[in-house]
């Protein structure tokens, strides 16, 4: 979906690299998993705020393909947090009209967690207020590879359209705004294909501190961007007041 010209005030689709949980905890002499728990609180508030603002799609990076390389106790802590969140958070999402999707390779997850993901998706499937994609065991390279493998298995030609349709985020338009908290200026294998024309916003705030005011600030910044999609400024804002042009 292309929307040219000055960015809409509220992005249709916001994607977030929720980074900085570990540092938030370490600064407080707490175990890293305590930071992830606090990060879940921030995520709950973020989902609510985005829904209230009229954002239609929220996609978050919760666990990357590469995060398996972390210490075993942190990985198991994150798996337990996902399992606990499934039972605790889903009823509230349902009440708020949020449709949840899990995006990523589920084959490495336990049967119990896989069943929980499918149940949460089925329970919220009729909701339309906000689509909430949780990228878990996700990587942009994994997604492109699995999409190409699907096409190859079906003997389909590889085109931009066929590849897009086989990707794990085919059910939503590309993100308008990608936010990364925690001060790092990189994508870390997040939406590599879908980020082609997303506006990027980086914040030094650690994810557990990224509150409603911080989201508003990111959206205000986005609202000042001019999205050109390869065109010139004159082409995308032809009606902008100019001294050389007569008013119609
Ligand atoms: C992001 O926070 C959450 C996950 C990767 C699961 P981090 O755990 O990467 O936090 P920092 O970057 O170490 O502070
Ligand atoms: C990206 O953060 C992954 C998630 C937020 C889930 P990382 O903390 O894993 O990224 P790097 O390792 O600093 O690039
Ligand atoms: Mg990190």
């Amino acid at each position: 979906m292309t929307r040219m010209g000055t960015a809409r005030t509220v992005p249709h689709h916001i994607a977030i690299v929720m980074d900085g949980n570990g540092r938030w905890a370490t600064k407080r002499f707490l175990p890293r998993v305590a930071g992830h728990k606090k990060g879940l609180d921030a995520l709950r508030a973020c989902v609510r705020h985005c829904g209230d603002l009229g954002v239609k799609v929220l996609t978050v990076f919760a666990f990357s393909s590469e995060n398996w390389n972390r210490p075993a106790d942190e990985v198991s802590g994150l798996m337990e947090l996902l399992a606990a969140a499934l039972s605790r958070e889903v009823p509230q999402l349902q009440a708020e009209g949020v449709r949840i999707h899990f995006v990523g390779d589920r084959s490495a997850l336990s049967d119990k967690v896989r069943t929980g993901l499918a149940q949460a998706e089925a329970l919220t499937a009729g909701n339309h207020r906000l689509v909430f994609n949780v990228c878990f065991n996700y990587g942009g390279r994994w997604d492109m590879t699995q999409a190409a493998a699907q096409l190859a298995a079906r003997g389909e030609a590889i085109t931009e359209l066929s590849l897009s349709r086989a990707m794990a985020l085919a059910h939503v338009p590309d993100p308008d705004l990608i936010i990364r908290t925690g001060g790092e200026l990189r994508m870390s294998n997040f939406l590599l294909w879908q980020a082609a024309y997303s506006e990027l916003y980086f914040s030094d705030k650690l994810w557990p501190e990224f509150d409603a005011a911080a989201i508003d600030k990111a959206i205000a910044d986005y609202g000042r961007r001019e999205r050109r999609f390869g065109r010139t400024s004159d082409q995308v804002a032809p009606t902008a007041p100019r001294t050389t042009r007569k008013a119609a």
Side-chain angles (χ1 to χ4, degrees):
M1 194 183 290
T2 45
R3 278 178 290 276
M4 282 184 288
T6 306
R8 279 174 69 223
T9 313
V10 175
H12 181 92
H13 182 177
I14 297 181
I16 308 182
V17 180
M18 307 183 291
D19 196 22
N21 293 347
R23 279 165 284 167
W24 183 91
T26 304
K27 275 201 324 199
R28 288 161 179 78
F29 305 101
L30 294 169
R32 291 178 58 88
V33 173
H36 298 312
K37 285 193 181 137
K38 199 72 186 172
L40 180 59
D41 294 342
L43 179 56
R44 192 183 303 112
C46 175
V47 172
R48 189 164 301 159
H49 192 55
C50 285
D52 289 347
L53 290 173
V55 173
K56 288 305 189 194
V57 185
L58 175 67
T59 301
V60 298
F61 205 8
F63 190 87
S64 77
S65 315
E66 291 74 27
N67 287 149
W68 293 106
N69 296 321
R70 294 193 173 195
D73 62 333
E74 183 169 349
V75 171
S76 60
L78 283 162
M79 295 300 148
E80 281 163 26
L81 199 56
L82 172 66
L86 280 171
S87 50
R88 276 197 222 124
E89 310 291 336
V90 172
Q92 189 56 34
L93 295 177
Q94 172 70 354
E96 288 174 20
V98 177
R99 178 174 189 173
I100 195 164
H101 290 269
F102 290 93
V103 177
D105 182 2
R106 300 184 192 201
S107 64
L109 306 178
S110 71
D111 285 349
K112 189 172 166 250
V113 168
R114 281 212 299 251
T115 305
L117 303 185
Q119 282 173 344
E121 288 177 334
L123 181 73
T124 62
N127 295 338
H128 300 289
R129 188 160 166 264
L130 175 70
V131 172
F132 178 37
N133 300 306
V134 178
C135 296
F136 200 95
N137 196 17
Y138 170 89
R141 290 181 175 180
W142 163 81
D143 196 9
M144 284 190 240
T145 309
Q146 69 77 26
Q150 274 187 54
L151 297 183
R154 296 200 294 259
E156 263 184 61
I158 293 184
T159 64
E160 276 196 24
L161 187 63
S162 66
L163 206 51
S164 292
R165 284 186 174 157
M167 301 258 246
L169 278 172
H171 58 288
V172 289
D174 289 345
D176 300 290
L177 172 64
I178 297 181
I179 297 172
R180 182 172 185 144
T181 64
E184 310 293 357
L185 307 180
R186 54 178 173 256
M187 295 298 282
S188 301
N189 202 11
F190 196 36
L191 311 169
L192 301 181
W193 171 273
Q194 297 85 352
Y197 269 101
S198 304
E199 296 298 326
L200 307 180
Y201 180 88
F202 296 96
S203 167
D204 286 334
K205 270 188 192 290
L206 304 174
W207 173 249
E209 298 164 343
F210 203 75
D211 55 10
I215 295 168
D216 291 346
K217 196 166 165 238
I219 292 176
D221 193 280
Y222 166 84
R224 292 190 288 272
R225 311 275 181 97
E226 183 179 66
R227 305 188 73 188
R228 291 193 286 277
F229 298 94
R231 300 183 183 220
T232 67
S233 191
D234 276 358
Q235 282 177 300
V236 298
T239 55
R242 286 176 51 173
T243 45
T244 52
R245 185 180 290 142
K246 274 195 206 155

